[in-house]
Amino acid sequence: MTLRTRIAVIVAVTVAALLVAVGVSAQLLSARALVGAVDEDLRRIAASIERDPRGLLVVAGPGRDRFGGAAGIVQLVDAEGRVIGDLRSRLDRGGVAGGDADADRVVLPVDDVVLAVASGASPSTLRTVPVEGVPLRMLVVPVGQRFALQVARPIDEVEDVIGQLRARTALLTLAGSLLAALIAWTVAGRSIRPVSELTAAVEEVRDGRDLSRHVVVPEGDDEVARLARAFDAMLSRLEASRVAQDRLAADASHELRTPLTSLRTNVEVLVHDAERLAADDRRRLTEDVVGQLEELSAMVDGLVMLTRVDTDPGARGPVDLAALTEDVVTSARRRYPARAADLRLTVGADVDPVEGDERELALAVSALVDNAVKYAPAGAIDVTVRADPAGNVHVEVADGGPGVPPDALPHLFERFFRAPEARAMPGAGLGLALVERVARAHGGAAAATARSPQGLRVRLELPARPGRPLGGAPAQSP
């Protein structure tokens, strides 16, 4: 049974139970009210006869209801159970007793309860008794010392009313249950439509099919909407992870093939022809192998780091970008002691912390500094941290190196891109790609411009608050 069907059945059963409970309550209350009205009529008749006992001698005329109808049946009995007199109707007071009337008379039952009232052992009683299959409501009141007055009238009309009410309740219950089931079926279908789409998406993911499918997120903030949003975000993460993995596999197979082939060739020469090589050639070849291994290691590390940024965003929190940049510059001075004096850091005023992953931001800033040191072999390297009028934070690294051609600037942040002038130098072309990816993951941007008269200026820009679009003109660099 589907969830939609279960909801419809539960609602229908619940509504049916409520309607049955209401119907039974209505029947009980109606029966009590109707029987109460009959009881009042019986008391009124009894009181009237007590005031005028001659009414006991009057009997119904021909053709009247044997059970007295609304006027009821009146019967006087003594303590021994003998019937003294009866009155079948208070109408037709000119009627005459005897003949067919006596043969047609209805005798009310005289039992121990009636005898107890007649003997004075019990007060008046009021109950329902069957007579010839007809339900009668009978009042028994004491009269004098040794008599009891029985006043009864049929309550079959009450039974008829209750029967009609019972039939209407059953019809209403059936109609209400069907209507509730139909409404529940329709509403449940609309409510669980996102769940059905989630199920279909999960089945597609399970079967290894398209991860780019997105579910329709309903409006509102209920449980289904939150589930749909969470699952849609999960699908996006899975899709990004798969794309990153595919890209990593493609990059690795494409970019590692040439250096691995060269490395294999050099290693085979060292293994098979080492004895025929001169000492200087063997040393240079060994240094080439070590350098190639270092480049491969750096390339693999860069690819892994790019994939990690794409698929595994770290914990976010406030990051003091000024202090972080100062630590990166201090570390670079230790790693490049010959260029320590060229690395100059300037921190502007009112630089607020940004929201981000400190490890990723440190890698991005370090990649900016390493790129400048590598491709600007001489001259000052200016590292600047400042806030623009909108509060966005800029980390800018400007060098006085040879720069890059204007047509190469738009491609600097692509994976494995290297300007023709830089291809003779070691490197994999992943540093600035990492900067751009970290910037985008933090809602920021990366940009590169030529520096006058020569050199390159690369900027990492991050928003002042997460989710806030970048705005405001960046401060001018010297």
Side-chain angles (χ1 to χ4, degrees):
M1 183 183 294
T2 64
L3 176 60
R4 185 180 187 183
T5 303
R6 286 201 299 269
I7 292 174
V9 170
I10 290 173
V11 171
V13 171
T14 302
V15 171
L18 290 175
L19 290 176
V20 168
V22 172
V24 170
S25 300
Q27 292 174 34
L28 294 175
L29 293 175
S30 299
R32 181 178 300 176
L34 292 172
V35 172
V38 172
D39 293 345
E40 288 299 320
D41 285 345
L42 294 177
R43 293 189 182 95
R44 179 180 54 79
I45 294 172
S48 175
I49 293 177
E50 286 179 349
R51 290 193 301 268
D52 184 11
R54 290 175 301 173
L56 284 168
L57 301 178
V58 182
V59 297
R64 287 293 178 183
D65 187 355
R66 296 179 62 243
F67 295 94
I73 304 171
V74 179
Q75 182 174 282
L76 183 66
V77 297
D78 60 14
E80 283 73 30
R82 293 188 299 269
V83 178
I84 305 303
D86 68 271
L87 174 65
R88 267 174 262 152
S89 177
R90 296 181 62 83
L91 303 175
D92 295 338
R93 288 187 173 272
V96 179
D100 292 338
D102 289 338
D104 201 33
R105 66 190 294 256
V106 174
V107 179
L108 298 177
V110 179
D111 53 16
D112 293 340
V113 176
V114 177
L115 295 177
V117 175
S119 63
S122 175
S124 60
T125 61
L126 192 59
R127 55 189 175 133
T128 301
V129 295
V131 176
E132 300 180 11
V134 179
L136 301 180
R137 190 68 173 169
M138 185 174 69
L139 172 66
V140 182
V141 296
V143 177
Q145 299 295 323
R146 302 286 296 173
F147 298 96
L149 179 65
Q150 295 175 271
V151 183
R153 59 167 290 186
I155 56 171
D156 48 356
E157 71 273 15
V158 175
E159 297 291 336
D160 292 341
V161 171
I162 298 302
Q164 294 175 7
L165 183 58
R166 187 179 296 112
R168 292 175 182 175
T169 299
L171 182 61
L172 179 62
T173 300
L174 179 61
S177 301
L178 292 177
L179 180 61
L182 178 60
I183 294 174
W185 175 269
T186 304
V187 173
R190 294 179 180 177
S191 299
I192 67 175
R193 184 178 302 140
V195 178
S196 301
E197 294 180 355
L198 291 180
T199 304
V202 170
E203 290 174 347
E204 289 191 2
V205 172
R206 179 199 62 193
D207 297 336
R209 287 183 279 176
D210 187 14
L211 290 176
S212 62
R213 173 183 175 180
H214 292 275
V215 298
V216 178
V217 179
E219 297 181 358
D221 195 34
D222 57 9
E223 291 79 0
V224 174
R226 295 204 305 271
L227 175 63
R229 280 193 290 270
F231 191 81
D232 194 58
M234 185 189 72
L235 284 180
S236 298
R237 291 281 302 277
L238 287 174
E239 172 68 8
S241 177
R242 193 198 66 176
V243 170
Q245 291 174 1
D246 293 345
R247 184 182 299 170
L248 175 61
D251 290 343
S253 62
H254 181 268
E255 299 296 333
L256 295 180
R257 182 179 293 112
T258 299
L260 282 175
T261 301
S262 176
L263 178 62
R264 179 179 179 178
T265 301
N266 290 337
V267 171
E268 289 178 347
V269 170
L270 285 175
V271 171
H272 299 294
D273 301 327
E275 295 180 355
R276 294 197 297 267
L277 293 175
D280 289 343
D281 293 338
R282 202 165 43 245
R283 178 180 53 80
R284 286 194 297 270
L285 194 56
T286 302
E287 291 175 352
D288 288 344
V289 169
V290 172
Q292 289 172 341
L293 287 174
E294 290 177 349
E295 289 185 15
L296 281 175
S297 177
M299 183 182 297
V300 171
D301 289 343
L303 286 173
V304 171
M305 186 56 61
L306 279 170
T307 303
R308 184 177 300 167
V309 171
D310 286 336
T311 61
D312 184 24
R316 301 297 174 91
V319 178
D320 187 345
L321 207 54
L324 183 147
T325 304
E326 185 177 357
D327 292 340
V328 169
V329 171
T330 301
S331 176
R333 286 168 178 163
R334 288 196 299 265
R335 287 186 286 114
Y336 308 107
R339 305 295 304 277
D342 295 335
L343 288 168
R344 302 186 302 192
L345 175 65
T346 303
V347 178
D350 300 327
V351 177
D352 295 328
V354 298
E355 191 80 12
D357 184 305
E358 185 172 1
R359 177 182 61 87
E360 294 180 0
L361 292 175
L363 288 172
V365 175
S366 181
L368 289 177
V369 174
D370 289 343
N371 185 77
V373 172
K374 182 185 297 184
Y375 296 106
I381 297 176
D382 294 314
V383 182
T384 306
V385 183
R386 58 169 57 88
D388 64 22
N392 303 317
V393 180
H394 301 255
V395 178
E396 187 176 87
V397 178
D399 63 64
V404 296
D407 58 348
L409 284 175
H411 306 286
L412 282 182
F413 298 101
E414 297 176 1
R415 295 183 181 215
F416 302 107
F417 176 81
R418 304 180 73 192
E421 296 80 0
R423 290 173 184 170
M425 302 182 65
L430 295 175
L432 293 184
L434 177 63
V435 172
E436 190 275 336
R437 188 63 193 91
V438 170
R440 187 150 46 93
H442 287 74
T449 57
R451 188 185 188 190
S452 180
Q454 70 175 23
L456 183 68
R457 178 181 289 113
V458 185
R459 184 176 69 252
L460 169 66
E461 182 179 359
L462 298 174
R465 290 190 298 274
R468 173 180 174 179
L470 294 174
Q476 296 298 319
S477 301

